[in-house]
Amino acid sequence: MSATPLEDLIAMLNSQGQSAYFGESVSILEHSLQTAHCAELAGAGPALVAAALLHDLGHILHGLGEDVAGFGQDGMHEELAADYLSRWFGEEVTAPIRLHVAAKRYLCARSPGYLDALSTPSRLSLQLQGGPMSEAEAEAFLSNQFASAAIQLRHWDDEAKIVGLTIPNAAHYLSVLRAAASSLPPTT
Ligand code: FE
């Protein structure tokens, strides 16, 4: 019996998420699990918990290495993940993922103290991502119906860098992914 696509996503996180997360002290897998855990603790629905779990899948997919920002490139990991996941999930999942870097640029422009609280690697990648939004960019961002979801995801993302936290594993989220999936082929 072959694994379902959602089981494959969990397996991909488990097997390929072990690499370091951009100079942070946690792996991409640990970071993803902690982000999803924050979303669950906040009472988010399946779509946003799924987005939290999978928001950095692009770092696994892009194949540019684990420290792409450190090499002075922007891997556009948010677009890569959102496009890849759109075959199984609707915009409730993919749009917050697509916007989670924009949300960081928005918060840097509009939320006092946010930029100063970013980790050093996150400040480095900010420059590659365009820096803080202009006023016009911030207004345009806010007009997106998924802006507030993306801002929520961003805050969980920023919190999810704690070394040695004991939290649920990736398989815990399989039922969440199933609930969030909108266009899976029927399973037999
Ligand atoms: Fe992240």
Side-chain angles (χ1 to χ4, degrees):
M1 184 170 44
S2 61
T4 67
L6 300 184
E7 288 168 339
D8 285 342
L9 284 176
I10 297 289
M12 192 190 303
L13 269 181
N14 277 330
S15 63
Q16 296 178 55
Q18 307 285 350
S19 53
Y21 176 64
F22 289 170
E24 309 281 2
S25 300
V26 292
S27 67
I28 293 174
L29 172 62
E30 289 170 308
H31 171 68
S32 301
L33 294 175
Q34 289 184 25
T35 309
H37 189 56
C38 286
E40 272 205 321
L41 288 180
L48 204 43
V49 176
L53 181 72
L54 301 170
H55 78 279
D56 274 341
L57 196 71
H59 290 317
I60 291 173
L61 294 169
H62 64 41
L64 290 172
E66 64 202 35
D67 193 20
V68 59
F71 292 122
Q73 301 175 49
D74 180 1
M76 292 296 284
H77 73 286
E78 68 278 19
E79 298 285 348
L80 202 55
D83 289 347
Y84 182 78
L85 292 167
S86 65
R87 69 197 78 183
W88 303 297
F89 301 100
E91 280 202 301
E92 296 77 13
V93 175
T94 59
I97 292 174
R98 198 181 298 281
L99 292 172
H100 82 275
V101 171
K104 170 179 158 185
R105 296 183 57 228
Y106 169 83
L107 288 166
C108 285
R110 288 283 179 93
S111 182
Y114 177 83
L115 194 157
D116 290 338
L118 287 177
S119 66
T120 301
S122 198
R123 273 202 294 273
L124 171 62
S125 60
L126 172 69
Q127 297 315 313
L128 298 166
Q129 291 158 345
M133 282 184 171
S134 67
E135 282 302 301
E137 286 174 320
E139 285 308 310
F141 173 74
L142 280 184
S143 71
N144 189 300
Q145 65 171 311
F146 294 104
S148 65
I151 289 170
Q152 281 183 288
L153 171 55
R154 187 72 229 179
H155 284 304
W156 299 325
D157 186 2
D158 294 327
E159 289 174 31
K161 298 172 180 178
I162 299 170
V163 177
L165 205 61
T166 301
I167 51 171
N169 64 17
H172 166 78
Y173 295 100
L174 186 55
S175 60
V176 171
L177 296 189
R178 287 192 178 122
S182 61
S183 58
L184 276 177
T187 52
T188 53

